[in-house]
């Protein structure tokens, strides 16, 4: 067979040439912007010329500090197809990390949304490698700024030719994108995505979830969060209509209107968003989900009760999936197998409340503390190890932490899980979030899900706290459904016949207005532990 | 990303481990044989041990002379995952070619179906490299034979362990399969398929045609004809239920029963088979196609009228596709784009009667005699050139013919086509089958399709024959629908307002009981030209 490299270029050209009429829709405060792949491609070509004019060389890093919109999508293909590397910056990080990742990636150009310029403005004196700041502006106006030599993106590219001869001689293992993931301790860690990895991941997404040209994909996940799970790459590769909701992504009414008006079929998101949506729907919010076919959910678990409600009450068919920034991210999807279609509803929800079965192309093993694979019995726990062509093999310029995580040719996920006889994986916990009580492990995730299945509970996060006698004990942080109230005793009573053993029941519950979250919407247990250590999480005395 | 090779092993292990209950169904004269992927995998492992015991080394070739059945499917994965190369021998070739390809591939072991042993028996003294003949027997009995040291496959493998440690250190570009394609002149040409090519092809098939775990795939295309279009690889990779119809593949009643009973959703085939099916259906043959979702057709064109009849009268939705042994084979598929769904029926059939749009992952250009790309206007003709990761880059050990066909990094298909503004390709002809009349080109394929749209015509093949004045003239060989008759004058009248110009109308028509076919079911125009040259194709005098 030909020695033909897997490059994004091939797919960009195919979509531009054979699907030029398909639409890209970008939602701005001023209104909805639409253009076709024909027009998109012209601007991607102009961008490539602009990168050349700025002296960007192959392999150079270029940063985006941007939301989900069409200009960001132009960077997604323009930068890698030119031969450079797009660094999708998470601007929600603390400022020291924001500065760190841009300096660490040695970004030469920084593309920033006009509404996010303050992040760059605040950090500008600490950015050591950025030579030029380019403003992605939807209003066409340059904001007030003290940054020198700044230019509007549209002005930068507008006079360049609308065709560009994208290089076909890149290596498929060349970097296309870099994205940082926050670490439990220390600086964020960079994950580099190759052309090959992005393309194989797209093929696997299409193969597993049936994503196709006929899909209309709504990008809810931020394009700086594991690159919106690389769905924008899949969408261009498959020539899908795509919707970029920009600033309006957490406006549930607008989101529901968009889904109906644009006939969205496919979307991805984290449970935090589904929680907001649930709240909106329960208040009678308008919606029409009849076009939706696939809703991939990852990042953390959707409680089973919510899965059922979404599916049955709202015709919103959530499919749980599992992955990480290090895995591009799709690893598993909880789609029932074809022969399960006649199974009883409850059994199907058992399947759908797992994180699913491994995608075709990857290898997984779940190993116990002795490195021995656990039985496929749905009971034995172990750490999930992965390998495959869209799994990272290192953290960028970070040999020390790479050596720990990518040992023996496997990615050690730090996730603890079980696998059942059908091959479905259930996440038990993060290795570091397991609670060790009297020498026995308690899964914080299992416990959280049990508590969240209480009708009055909105969210629940469990941390292990030191205990003089039992070593550690689970400690529950709970938010209550608005307008409701619940007591620790009620919750203890509720858990009694549900937990694996009575010593799983937390001694203490604290009720918070909200659970602190990480920049990507997960429970921030590090913050909860800090608050606990500082004595700020005191259980209500009355209930003890 | 990890340097993780794309190997069949990964996918075989995944299917065996996570989909062990899915079924493989093999149809024998004695009855239907069924087993699961769990049992399939055990025998594949035993086969690998047997190959080792026979001294087969990495890269060695091993031949199969076999039909579409479960033992052949075991070879499909057992041989490449072991690290050797499976040569799927076309036993319908003339004996000299049959001998040539086995000697040329230097096959060390030859696996042969008990019912095909006569081919090997007849050739055995000429086979220079075959050390051992193994009989794939469904009856369990060794047939009468003079071949020495012959052994039954089931006996060969039965005592080996049911687990094998398939090598993970193969290179993804290592050969997995070799298959020969007959040439217009000279010996057949070998095409080598790599692990990488087979896997990327499968991903593309899944992405383009939506093939998935839920599909039940019926293999109609012989497993020695471009490896049944590599659908058996796709079926195992995707963990599909699959049906291997063996000897019964051209028994239309049985085929229709099988489709209904096994709930077949996906199949592939050549128009010759659809013609037989059409005949069966028109005679009122029993059928129930309600489970069929995708029917890929390639090799030659399905006349538009037949496409309409199959679709509307029989709910048998044929999708035309294009490819060749050199292309694994999927290149294009004639699926309408999503925005065409509201188009008028006739316009949709216009789309569906093309060979389609190029699959995601390949590059195509159609160039005229000056090497300039033709316009996307559906009119300009040119030769189709292809490149991509599942396109061959040479003929095996044949540098001379390779240099002609695989020049400048492109595969020169020898097919002449047009491309319309939507990107759909229409085949006009083979470069060598175009008829040059008075300096102008006539497409034999267009002309054949026009003639075949006559209700009394079953098949029509056009060849160019020498003419003293016009250089060449089209000559029509026609078979008539059974029980019907038609005259040349009727056909000329019928063509009058349909052809592009009056000089397209053939001067002569000859009526044959059948059109000679190649071993893979295409019109054998070489044979027709030979018959014409020998004066054996005389038009009926009465009609002149």
């Amino acid at each position: 067979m030909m020695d033909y490299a897997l490059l994004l270029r091939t797919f960009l050209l195919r979509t531009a040439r054979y699907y030029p009429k398909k639409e890209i829709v970008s939602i701005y405060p001023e209104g909805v912007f639409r253009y076709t792949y024909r027009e998109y491609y012209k601007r991607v070509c102009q961008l490539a010329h602009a990168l050349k004019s700025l002296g960007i060389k192959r392999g150079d890093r270029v940063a985006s500090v941007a939301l989900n919109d069409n200009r960001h999508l132009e960077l997604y293909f323009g930068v890698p197809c030119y031969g450079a590397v797009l660094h999708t910056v998470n601007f929600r990080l603390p400022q020291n990390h924001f500065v760190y990742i841009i300096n660490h990636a040695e970004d030469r150009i920084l593309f920033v949304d006009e509404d996010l310029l303050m992040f760059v403005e605040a950090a500008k004196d600490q950015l050591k490698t950025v030579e030029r700041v380019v403003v992605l502006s939807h209003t066409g106006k340059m904001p007030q700024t003290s940054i020198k030599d700044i230019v509007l993106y549209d002005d930068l590219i507008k006079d360049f030719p609308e065709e560009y001869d994208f290089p076909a001689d890149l290596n498929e293992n060349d970097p296309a994108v870099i994205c940082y993931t926050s670490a439990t301790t220390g600086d964020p860690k960079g994950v580099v995505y190759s052309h090959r990895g992005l393309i194989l991941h797209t093929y696997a997404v299409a193969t597993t979830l049936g994503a196709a040209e006929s899909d209309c994909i709504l990008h809810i996940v931020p394009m700086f969060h594991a690159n919106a799970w690389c769905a924008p790459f899949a969408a261009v590769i498959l020539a899908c209509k795509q919707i970029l909701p920009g600033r309006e992504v957490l406006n549930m009414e607008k989101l529901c209107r968009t889904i109906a008006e644009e006939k969205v079929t496919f979307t991805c998101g984290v449970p935090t968003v589904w929680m907001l949506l649930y709240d909106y729907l329960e208040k009678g919010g308008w919606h029409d989900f009849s076009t939706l076919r696939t809703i991939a959910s990852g990042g953390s678990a959707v409680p089973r009760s919510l899965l059922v409600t979404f599916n049955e009450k709202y015709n919103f068919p959530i499919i749980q999936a599992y992955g990480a920034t290090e895995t591009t991210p799709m690893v598993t999807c909880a789609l029932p197998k074809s022969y399960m279609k006649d199974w009883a509803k409850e059994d199907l929800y058992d399947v759908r409340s797992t994180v699913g079965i491994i995608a075709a192309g990857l290898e997984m093993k779940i190993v116990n503390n002795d490195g021995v694979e656990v039985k496929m019995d749905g009971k034995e726990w172990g750490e999930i190890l992965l390998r495959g062509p869209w799994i990272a093999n290192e953290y960028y310029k970070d040999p020390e932490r790479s050596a720990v995580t990518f040992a023996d040719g496997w990615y050690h996920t730090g996730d603890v899980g079980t696998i059942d006889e059908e091959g479905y994986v259930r996440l038990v916990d993060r290795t570091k979030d397991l609670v060790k009580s009297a020498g026995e492990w308690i899964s914080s995730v299992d416990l959280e899900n049990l508590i969240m299945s209480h009708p009055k509970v909105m969210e629940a996060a469990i941390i292990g706290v030191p205990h003089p006698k039992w070593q550690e004990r689970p400690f529950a942080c709970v938010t209550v459904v608005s307008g409701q109230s619940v007591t620790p005793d009620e919750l203890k009573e509720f858990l009694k016949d549900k937990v694996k053993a009575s010593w799983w029941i937390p001694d203490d519950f604290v009720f918070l207005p909200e659970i602190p979250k990480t920049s990507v919407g997960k429970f921030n247990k590090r913050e909860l532990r800090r608050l606990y250590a500082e004595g700020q999480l005191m259980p209500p005395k009355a209930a003890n």
Side-chain angles (χ1 to χ4, degrees), chain A:
Chain A
M1 295 289 120
M2 287 183 181
D3 179 18
Y4 184 92
L6 296 173
L7 299 179
L8 291 173
R9 169 191 172 277
T10 306
F11 299 86
L12 173 67
L13 294 180
R14 174 180 179 272
T15 295
R17 186 163 197 183
Y18 302 120
Y19 298 88
K21 299 178 191 170
K22 299 271 324 256
E23 264 187 338
I24 296 165
V25 180
S26 197
I27 299 173
Y28 291 102
E30 308 80 61
V32 175
F33 172 81
R34 290 168 191 278
Y35 63 177
T36 63
Y37 277 107
R38 177 182 284 122
E39 294 158 290
Y40 169 75
Y41 178 70
K42 286 179 186 171
R43 285 170 59 94
V44 169
C45 287
Q46 290 179 312
L47 167 60
H49 283 289
L51 292 171
K52 195 171 182 182
S53 77
L54 291 169
I56 296 299
K57 296 189 303 292
R58 281 204 188 169
D60 282 354
R61 271 77 58 214
V62 158
S64 63
V65 177
L67 298 164
N68 293 11
D69 67 21
N70 65 298
R71 287 176 183 82
H72 204 176
L73 189 67
E74 291 163 13
L75 293 168
Y76 260 54
F77 275 76
V79 175
C81 289
Y82 172 79
V85 186
L86 181 67
H87 173 198
T88 52
V89 175
N90 181 351
F91 56 83
R92 291 198 202 139
L93 291 174
Q95 192 184 329
N96 62 327
H97 283 165
F98 178 81
V99 168
Y100 171 84
I101 65 175
I102 294 171
N103 286 337
H104 188 262
E106 300 172 82
D107 299 324
R108 290 187 57 197
I109 312 285
L110 194 150
F111 292 87
V112 54
D113 189 283
E114 63 185 309
D115 299 335
L116 303 174
L117 190 58
M118 64 280 195
F119 292 105
V120 179
E121 188 87 42
K124 72 174 195 295
D125 296 335
Q126 301 169 68
L127 302 180
K128 295 175 190 159
T129 59
V130 174
E131 299 161 24
R132 196 82 189 268
V133 175
V134 181
V135 175
L136 305 164
S137 168
H138 51 94
T139 61
K141 289 183 209 117
M142 177 62 78
Q144 277 291 339
T145 175
S146 66
I147 298 170
K148 281 182 204 141
D149 209 19
I150 196 163
V151 62
L152 287 181
Y153 173 83
D154 287 11
D155 289 343
L156 176 71
I157 69 169
K158 73 173 184 231
D159 292 330
F160 286 108
E162 294 175 343
E163 267 295 338
Y164 186 85
D165 188 16
F166 289 105
D169 64 343
L170 300 179
N171 186 298
E172 68 186 35
N173 295 309
D174 282 350
V177 194
I178 180 168
C179 181
Y180 284 74
T181 175
S182 51
T184 312
T185 53
D187 295 316
K189 299 171 288 188
V191 176
V192 174
Y193 303 84
S194 63
H195 286 256
R196 171 181 163 107
L198 292 172
I199 289 162
L200 292 174
H201 178 263
T202 292
Y203 276 138
V205 166
T207 299
T208 306
L209 290 170
E213 182 270 324
S214 54
D215 275 309
C216 172
I217 303 189
L218 169 68
H219 301 296
I220 296 178
V221 180
M223 286 167 75
F224 56 79
H225 177 204
N227 315 310
W229 301 356
C230 292
F233 291 106
V236 174
I237 287 172
L238 301 173
C240 298
K241 177 180 174 186
Q242 46 186 323
I243 316 292
L244 299 142
R247 288 132 197 86
E248 303 287 350
V249 67
L250 295 184
N251 175 338
M252 288 301 129
E253 191 190 336
K254 191 129 186 184
L255 204 72
C256 287
R257 293 266 166 215
T258 300
I259 288 169
E261 284 165 15
E262 301 294 344
K263 299 187 169 42
V264 171
T265 63
F266 193 110
T267 192
C268 312
V270 292
T272 314
V273 175
W274 311 143
M275 289 293 196
L276 290 175
L277 180 62
Y278 174 76
D279 212 43
Y280 166 79
L281 295 172
E282 288 288 293
K283 285 177 185 150
W286 186 91
H287 63 283
D288 173 359
F289 297 144
S290 58
T291 57
L292 273 173
R293 193 179 59 72
T294 304
I295 301 149
S297 175
S300 57
V302 177
R304 181 184 170 128
S305 55
L306 200 60
L307 213 53
V308 176
T309 304
F310 266 121
N311 205 57
E312 302 195 355
K313 187 167 171 189
Y314 295 115
N315 187 28
F316 190 82
I318 289 177
I319 297 164
Q320 298 212 86
Y322 165 63
T325 302
E326 291 85 343
T327 65
T328 309
M330 192 185 70
V331 171
T332 62
C333 286
L335 285 166
K337 298 178 188 176
S338 52
Y339 58 76
M340 295 175 176
K341 67 178 190 297
D342 304 322
W343 281 21
K345 206 190 249 186
E346 284 307 303
D347 295 335
L348 273 175
Y349 280 118
D350 281 348
V351 170
R352 292 184 52 185
S353 61
T354 70
V355 294
I357 207 161
I358 193 142
L362 298 180
E363 271 188 271
M364 178 179 63
K365 58 181 183 180
I366 302 185
V367 297
N368 65 22
N369 282 334
D370 303 323
V372 177
E373 277 199 71
V374 303
K375 283 201 206 105
M376 287 176 65
D377 64 358
K379 286 177 191 151
E380 282 191 26
W381 290 356
E383 186 182 5
I384 298 171
L385 312 191
L386 297 167
R387 62 182 187 186
W390 59 92
I391 307 290
N393 63 341
E394 63 168 5
Y395 293 121
Y396 185 58
K397 296 193 301 185
D398 193 344
E400 244 173 72
R401 289 193 290 184
S402 295
V404 177
T405 303
F406 304 97
D408 316 318
W410 292 84
Y411 164 48
H412 296 248
T413 62
D415 288 312
V416 179
T418 63
I419 181 165
D420 66 22
E421 58 165 1
E422 291 284 358
Y424 288 82
V425 175
R426 201 176 281 274
L427 294 185
V428 171
D429 219 331
R430 294 286 298 165
T431 46
K432 62 183 168 43
D433 290 335
L434 286 169
V435 180
K436 192 161 197 172
S437 179
E440 299 280 347
W441 294 108
I442 294 171
S443 157
S444 68
V445 173
D446 277 3
L447 201 46
E448 286 160 5
N449 284 335
L450 286 175
I451 300 174
M452 286 192 282
S453 71
H454 189 285
K456 293 182 180 169
V457 171
M458 184 80 176
E459 291 179 322
I462 296 288
I463 54 171
V465 298
H467 191 278
K469 183 169 173 192
W470 307 116
Q471 187 176 3
E472 274 192 335
R473 287 294 297 148
F475 181 92
C477 307
V478 174
T479 66
V480 176
V481 172
S482 67
Q484 301 283 346
S485 74
V486 65
T487 66
D489 285 342
E490 267 179 86
L491 293 176
K492 286 180 186 176
E493 183 62 30
F494 176 77
L495 291 174
K496 220 158 100 181
D497 56 351
K498 296 185 178 68
V499 289
K500 292 196 183 171
S502 61
W503 46 268
W504 273 49
I505 299 177
D507 302 324
D508 294 315
F509 291 78
V510 66
F511 296 94
L512 302 176
E514 64 180 325
I515 310 276
K517 306 265 173 26
T518 68
S519 63
V520 296
K522 296 186 189 184
F523 293 152
N524 189 340
K525 295 197 180 178
R526 187 160 41 134
E527 176 65 5
L528 287 174
R529 287 190 199 98
R530 190 188 65 79
L531 290 171
Y532 182 88
E534 289 180 0
Q536 295 190 47
L537 293 185
M538 282 295 116
K541 285 295 163 205
N544 264 356

